Amino acid sequence: GAVVSQHPSRVICKSGTSVKIECRSLDFQATTMFWYRQFPKKSLMLMATSNEGSKATYEQGVEKDKFLINHASLTLSTLTVTSAHPEDSSFYICSARVRVAENIQYFGAGTRLSVL
Amino acid sequence: GNSVTQMEGPVTLSEEAFLTINCTYTATGYPSLFWYVQYPGEGLQLLLKATKADDKGSNKGFEATYRKETTSFHLEKGSVQVSDSAVYFCALSGPYMEYGNKLVFGAGTILRVKS
């Protein structure tokens, strides 16, 4: 099946610093990638939809300037958490869709962000 | 808006026991329904899906039937194995014109199978 690689798997940073998370589709081209946030014992919440070559579409309540998303190529999307604070600590997961008609998303293994 | 409710876990079963994880949904129109599984340290994987009423999705011994009348998509397996221990997520998508291909997830149910 389609493989999505997410890096790093875990990151610890100081408050006020920025952290970049990469999401790569390894064996397919993904015109659309999705970024989710998962809180402990809670569901995945969609943060934004990232389309290659255009600006990301953010869900209501998600700060665009806090969570910068770039989808520069058909195989790479990045999420940058800017000026991270402890409340940004969470599990971030990306996914990629192969074809619109198929409507199946392939997920990365997630990134555990801890902000001290 | 669209939402998914699934039974809270953890669910703990002995090997070869019967598994049911309940999932109900709220949505307009006719959404597509999914079960995803997340094994420890891995990303979510699609387990099965159904795109219209009365469809049955099946994979690896798991089954779920799209019940429009009860707005449910319960996951079942006749005989679980230790290797089935994971977190199971019920999800829905659609209708496309209103929601695109966005997935809405349930909270996830932890399954623990003991030998």
mmCIF file of all heavy atoms in Angstrom, chain A residues 40-70:
data_model
loop_
_atom_site.group_PDB
_atom_site.id
_atom_site.type_symbol
_atom_site.label_atom_id
_atom_site.label_comp_id
_atom_site.label_asym_id
_atom_site.label_seq_id
_atom_site.Cartn_x
_atom_site.Cartn_y
_atom_site.Cartn_z
ATOM 1 N N PRO A 40 -4.712 13.730 24.100
ATOM 2 C CA PRO A 40 -4.779 12.461 24.834
ATOM 3 C C PRO A 40 -6.213 11.967 25.004
ATOM 4 O O PRO A 40 -7.098 12.747 25.389
ATOM 5 C CB PRO A 40 -4.156 12.810 26.184
ATOM 6 C CG PRO A 40 -3.227 13.937 25.881
ATOM 7 C CD PRO A 40 -3.916 14.734 24.801
ATOM 8 N N LYS A 41 -6.434 10.717 24.655
ATOM 9 C CA LYS A 41 -7.732 10.061 24.808
ATOM 10 C C LYS A 41 -8.822 10.757 24.001
ATOM 11 O O LYS A 41 -10.010 10.633 24.328
ATOM 12 C CB LYS A 41 -8.123 9.968 26.277
ATOM 13 C CG LYS A 41 -7.159 9.125 27.099
ATOM 14 C CD LYS A 41 -7.632 8.974 28.522
ATOM 15 C CE LYS A 41 -6.649 8.117 29.313
ATOM 16 N NZ LYS A 41 -7.086 7.934 30.714
ATOM 17 N N LYS A 42 -8.439 11.497 23.015
ATOM 18 C CA LYS A 42 -9.428 12.167 22.176
ATOM 19 C C LYS A 42 -9.160 11.837 20.711
ATOM 20 O O LYS A 42 -8.165 11.254 20.346
ATOM 21 C CB LYS A 42 -9.396 13.673 22.410
ATOM 22 C CG LYS A 42 -9.834 14.078 23.798
ATOM 23 C CD LYS A 42 -10.370 15.474 23.810
ATOM 24 C CE LYS A 42 -10.828 15.864 25.209
ATOM 25 N NZ LYS A 42 -12.178 15.400 25.430
ATOM 26 N N SER A 43 -10.105 12.255 19.904
ATOM 27 C CA SER A 43 -10.033 11.910 18.496
ATOM 28 C C SER A 43 -9.045 12.787 17.747
ATOM 29 O O SER A 43 -8.515 13.752 18.284
ATOM 30 C CB SER A 43 -11.419 12.048 17.886
ATOM 31 O OG SER A 43 -11.401 11.684 16.541
ATOM 32 N N LEU A 44 -8.820 12.442 16.502
ATOM 33 C CA LEU A 44 -8.015 13.285 15.630
ATOM 34 C C LEU A 44 -8.858 14.463 15.178
ATOM 35 O O LEU A 44 -9.987 14.298 14.724
ATOM 36 C CB LEU A 44 -7.569 12.509 14.388
ATOM 37 C CG LEU A 44 -6.423 11.535 14.532
ATOM 38 C CD1 LEU A 44 -6.863 10.288 15.258
ATOM 39 C CD2 LEU A 44 -5.863 11.177 13.156
ATOM 40 N N MET A 45 -8.288 15.649 15.285
ATOM 41 C CA MET A 45 -8.983 16.854 14.848
ATOM 42 C C MET A 45 -8.258 17.409 13.628
ATOM 43 O O MET A 45 -7.058 17.674 13.690
ATOM 44 C CB MET A 45 -8.998 17.897 15.973
ATOM 45 C CG MET A 45 -9.635 17.422 17.251
ATOM 46 S SD MET A 45 -11.374 16.982 17.061
ATOM 47 C CE MET A 45 -12.055 18.587 16.671
ATOM 48 N N LEU A 46 -8.980 17.583 12.543
ATOM 49 C CA LEU A 46 -8.373 18.123 11.337
ATOM 50 C C LEU A 46 -7.974 19.577 11.565
ATOM 51 O O LEU A 46 -8.794 20.385 12.011
ATOM 52 C CB LEU A 46 -9.352 18.024 10.164
ATOM 53 C CG LEU A 46 -8.853 18.559 8.827
ATOM 54 C CD1 LEU A 46 -7.676 17.729 8.318
ATOM 55 C CD2 LEU A 46 -9.979 18.554 7.797
ATOM 56 N N MET A 47 -6.719 19.883 11.252
ATOM 57 C CA MET A 47 -6.232 21.254 11.393
ATOM 58 C C MET A 47 -6.328 21.991 10.062
ATOM 59 O O MET A 47 -6.771 23.137 10.019
ATOM 60 C CB MET A 47 -4.774 21.256 11.850
ATOM 61 C CG MET A 47 -4.525 20.614 13.200
ATOM 62 S SD MET A 47 -2.779 20.532 13.581
ATOM 63 C CE MET A 47 -2.350 22.256 13.673
ATOM 64 N N ALA A 48 -5.867 21.324 9.010
ATOM 65 C CA ALA A 48 -5.812 22.007 7.719
ATOM 66 C C ALA A 48 -5.679 20.993 6.599
ATOM 67 O O ALA A 48 -5.219 19.867 6.799
ATOM 68 C CB ALA A 48 -4.633 22.974 7.679
ATOM 69 N N THR A 49 -6.100 21.436 5.426
ATOM 70 C CA THR A 49 -5.956 20.666 4.196
ATOM 71 C C THR A 49 -4.937 21.377 3.328
ATOM 72 O O THR A 49 -5.057 22.588 3.083
ATOM 73 C CB THR A 49 -7.293 20.570 3.465
ATOM 74 O OG1 THR A 49 -8.251 19.969 4.333
ATOM 75 C CG2 THR A 49 -7.162 19.737 2.197
ATOM 76 N N SER A 50 -3.958 20.630 2.883
ATOM 77 C CA SER A 50 -2.834 21.205 2.146
ATOM 78 C C SER A 50 -2.855 20.720 0.705
ATOM 79 O O SER A 50 -2.787 19.519 0.462
ATOM 80 C CB SER A 50 -1.531 20.780 2.840
ATOM 81 O OG SER A 50 -0.412 21.052 2.049
ATOM 82 N N ASN A 51 -2.951 21.638 -0.217
ATOM 83 C CA ASN A 51 -2.938 21.292 -1.636
ATOM 84 C C ASN A 51 -1.645 21.773 -2.278
ATOM 85 O O ASN A 51 -1.212 22.903 -2.053
ATOM 86 C CB ASN A 51 -4.128 21.925 -2.358
ATOM 87 C CG ASN A 51 -5.444 21.313 -1.922
ATOM 88 O OD1 ASN A 51 -5.655 20.126 -2.091
ATOM 89 N ND2 ASN A 51 -6.305 22.119 -1.344
ATOM 90 N N GLU A 52 -1.042 20.906 -3.058
ATOM 91 C CA GLU A 52 0.241 21.212 -3.680
ATOM 92 C C GLU A 52 0.156 22.474 -4.515
ATOM 93 O O GLU A 52 -0.746 22.611 -5.337
ATOM 94 C CB GLU A 52 0.701 20.031 -4.532
ATOM 95 C CG GLU A 52 2.080 20.177 -5.130
ATOM 96 C CD GLU A 52 2.067 20.769 -6.514
ATOM 97 O OE1 GLU A 52 1.030 20.689 -7.185
ATOM 98 O OE2 GLU A 52 3.103 21.314 -6.942
ATOM 99 N N GLY A 53 1.065 23.394 -4.257
ATOM 100 C CA GLY A 53 1.153 24.607 -5.042
ATOM 101 C C GLY A 53 0.203 25.712 -4.654
ATOM 102 O O GLY A 53 0.188 26.761 -5.295
ATOM 103 N N SER A 54 -0.601 25.504 -3.638
ATOM 104 C CA SER A 54 -1.519 26.562 -3.221
ATOM 105 C C SER A 54 -1.544 26.669 -1.702
ATOM 106 O O SER A 54 -0.981 25.826 -1.005
ATOM 107 C CB SER A 54 -2.928 26.301 -3.755
ATOM 108 O OG SER A 54 -3.438 25.104 -3.230
ATOM 109 N N LYS A 55 -2.214 27.696 -1.223
ATOM 110 C CA LYS A 55 -2.275 27.899 0.223
ATOM 111 C C LYS A 55 -3.137 26.845 0.887
ATOM 112 O O LYS A 55 -4.124 26.379 0.317
ATOM 113 C CB LYS A 55 -2.838 29.291 0.528
ATOM 114 C CG LYS A 55 -1.923 30.436 0.136
ATOM 115 C CD LYS A 55 -2.527 31.771 0.542
ATOM 116 C CE LYS A 55 -1.585 32.921 0.181
ATOM 117 N NZ LYS A 55 -2.158 34.236 0.563
ATOM 118 N N ALA A 56 -2.770 26.523 2.111
ATOM 119 C CA ALA A 56 -3.537 25.532 2.864
ATOM 120 C C ALA A 56 -4.878 26.115 3.298
ATOM 121 O O ALA A 56 -5.019 27.326 3.485
ATOM 122 C CB ALA A 56 -2.744 25.088 4.089
ATOM 123 N N THR A 57 -5.837 25.248 3.448
ATOM 124 C CA THR A 57 -7.150 25.631 3.961
ATOM 125 C C THR A 57 -7.241 25.199 5.410
ATOM 126 O O THR A 57 -7.183 24.001 5.704
ATOM 127 C CB THR A 57 -8.266 24.957 3.144
ATOM 128 O OG1 THR A 57 -8.137 25.321 1.777
ATOM 129 C CG2 THR A 57 -9.629 25.392 3.670
ATOM 130 N N TYR A 58 -7.392 26.150 6.305
ATOM 131 C CA TYR A 58 -7.388 25.867 7.734
ATOM 132 C C TYR A 58 -8.810 25.687 8.267
ATOM 133 O O TYR A 58 -9.739 26.355 7.812
ATOM 134 C CB TYR A 58 -6.705 26.996 8.503
ATOM 135 C CG TYR A 58 -5.207 27.059 8.274
ATOM 136 C CD1 TYR A 58 -4.685 27.649 7.127
ATOM 137 C CD2 TYR A 58 -4.327 26.526 9.205
ATOM 138 C CE1 TYR A 58 -3.327 27.701 6.908
ATOM 139 C CE2 TYR A 58 -2.955 26.579 9.007
ATOM 140 C CZ TYR A 58 -2.457 27.163 7.847
ATOM 141 O OH TYR A 58 -1.102 27.208 7.641
ATOM 142 N N GLU A 59 -8.936 24.806 9.239
ATOM 143 C CA GLU A 59 -10.232 24.621 9.896
ATOM 144 C C GLU A 59 -10.476 25.775 10.864
ATOM 145 O O GLU A 59 -9.541 26.455 11.320
ATOM 146 C CB GLU A 59 -10.251 23.295 10.645
ATOM 147 C CG GLU A 59 -10.159 22.091 9.730
ATOM 148 C CD GLU A 59 -11.296 22.012 8.735
ATOM 149 O OE1 GLU A 59 -12.472 21.935 9.172
ATOM 150 O OE2 GLU A 59 -11.030 22.032 7.516
ATOM 151 N N GLN A 60 -11.737 25.962 11.148
ATOM 152 C CA GLN A 60 -12.118 27.040 12.054
ATOM 153 C C GLN A 60 -11.440 26.866 13.399
ATOM 154 O O GLN A 60 -11.400 25.760 13.956
ATOM 155 C CB GLN A 60 -13.645 27.030 12.234
ATOM 156 C CG GLN A 60 -14.190 28.250 12.933
ATOM 157 C CD GLN A 60 -15.714 28.266 12.913
ATOM 158 O OE1 GLN A 60 -16.358 27.264 12.592
ATOM 159 N NE2 GLN A 60 -16.291 29.397 13.237
ATOM 160 N N GLY A 61 -10.874 27.951 13.904
ATOM 161 C CA GLY A 61 -10.224 27.914 15.206
ATOM 162 C C GLY A 61 -8.743 27.597 15.164
ATOM 163 O O GLY A 61 -8.073 27.688 16.198
ATOM 164 N N VAL A 62 -8.215 27.246 14.010
ATOM 165 C CA VAL A 62 -6.786 26.948 13.881
ATOM 166 C C VAL A 62 -6.056 28.208 13.413
ATOM 167 O O VAL A 62 -6.420 28.802 12.405
ATOM 168 C CB VAL A 62 -6.547 25.802 12.880
ATOM 169 C CG1 VAL A 62 -5.059 25.542 12.707
ATOM 170 C CG2 VAL A 62 -7.270 24.550 13.326
ATOM 171 N N GLU A 63 -5.040 28.611 14.165
ATOM 172 C CA GLU A 63 -4.325 29.844 13.850
ATOM 173 C C GLU A 63 -3.361 29.631 12.680
ATOM 174 O O GLU A 63 -2.395 28.872 12.772
ATOM 175 C CB GLU A 63 -3.529 30.294 15.072
ATOM 176 C CG GLU A 63 -4.373 30.609 16.289
ATOM 177 C CD GLU A 63 -3.499 31.004 17.455
ATOM 178 O OE1 GLU A 63 -2.739 31.977 17.318
ATOM 179 O OE2 GLU A 63 -3.556 30.328 18.492
ATOM 180 N N LYS A 64 -3.588 30.344 11.618
ATOM 181 C CA LYS A 64 -2.752 30.204 10.433
ATOM 182 C C LYS A 64 -1.322 30.643 10.687
ATOM 183 O O LYS A 64 -0.369 30.065 10.153
ATOM 184 C CB LYS A 64 -3.324 31.055 9.290
ATOM 185 C CG LYS A 64 -4.716 30.677 8.872
ATOM 186 C CD LYS A 64 -5.214 31.585 7.764
ATOM 187 C CE LYS A 64 -6.647 31.255 7.397
ATOM 188 N NZ LYS A 64 -7.164 32.113 6.307
ATOM 189 N N ASP A 65 -1.159 31.688 11.476
ATOM 190 C CA ASP A 65 0.179 32.206 11.718
ATOM 191 C C ASP A 65 0.954 31.357 12.722
ATOM 192 O O ASP A 65 2.173 31.424 12.798
ATOM 193 C CB ASP A 65 0.098 33.650 12.232
ATOM 194 C CG ASP A 65 -0.494 34.584 11.198
ATOM 195 O OD1 ASP A 65 -0.337 34.292 9.991
ATOM 196 O OD2 ASP A 65 -1.118 35.589 11.580
ATOM 197 N N LYS A 66 0.235 30.567 13.487
ATOM 198 C CA LYS A 66 0.876 29.681 14.468
ATOM 199 C C LYS A 66 1.318 28.383 13.790
ATOM 200 O O LYS A 66 2.379 27.860 14.050
ATOM 201 C CB LYS A 66 -0.108 29.402 15.597
ATOM 202 C CG LYS A 66 0.170 28.170 16.439
ATOM 203 C CD LYS A 66 1.391 28.314 17.294
ATOM 204 C CE LYS A 66 1.111 29.143 18.495
ATOM 205 N NZ LYS A 66 2.306 29.156 19.387
ATOM 206 N N PHE A 67 0.466 27.870 12.933
ATOM 207 C CA PHE A 67 0.728 26.589 12.278
ATOM 208 C C PHE A 67 0.889 26.831 10.779
ATOM 209 O O PHE A 67 -0.087 26.858 10.028
ATOM 210 C CB PHE A 67 -0.415 25.608 12.551
ATOM 211 C CG PHE A 67 -0.617 25.316 14.013
ATOM 212 C CD1 PHE A 67 -1.646 25.931 14.720
ATOM 213 C CD2 PHE A 67 0.218 24.439 14.685
ATOM 214 C CE1 PHE A 67 -1.838 25.669 16.069
ATOM 215 C CE2 PHE A 67 0.035 24.167 16.033
ATOM 216 C CZ PHE A 67 -0.994 24.788 16.729
ATOM 217 N N LEU A 68 2.144 26.996 10.357
ATOM 218 C CA LEU A 68 2.431 27.293 8.957
ATOM 219 C C LEU A 68 2.552 25.998 8.167
ATOM 220 O O LEU A 68 3.316 25.113 8.538
ATOM 221 C CB LEU A 68 3.736 28.093 8.850
ATOM 222 C CG LEU A 68 3.746 29.452 9.556
ATOM 223 C CD1 LEU A 68 5.099 30.119 9.392
ATOM 224 C CD2 LEU A 68 2.642 30.347 9.029
ATOM 225 N N ILE A 69 1.808 25.905 7.093
ATOM 226 C CA ILE A 69 1.826 24.697 6.274
ATOM 227 C C ILE A 69 2.305 25.043 4.880
ATOM 228 O O ILE A 69 1.828 25.989 4.258
ATOM 229 C CB ILE A 69 0.426 24.055 6.227
ATOM 230 C CG1 ILE A 69 0.079 23.499 7.599
ATOM 231 C CG2 ILE A 69 0.366 22.956 5.160
ATOM 232 C CD1 ILE A 69 -1.337 23.001 7.727
ATOM 233 N N ASN A 70 3.252 24.247 4.404
ATOM 234 C CA ASN A 70 3.801 24.415 3.069
ATOM 235 C C ASN A 70 3.733 23.097 2.322
ATOM 236 O O ASN A 70 4.109 22.057 2.856
ATOM 237 C CB ASN A 70 5.250 24.896 3.150
ATOM 238 C CG ASN A 70 5.831 25.169 1.785
ATOM 239 O OD1 ASN A 70 6.319 24.272 1.110
ATOM 240 N ND2 ASN A 70 5.756 26.405 1.363
#
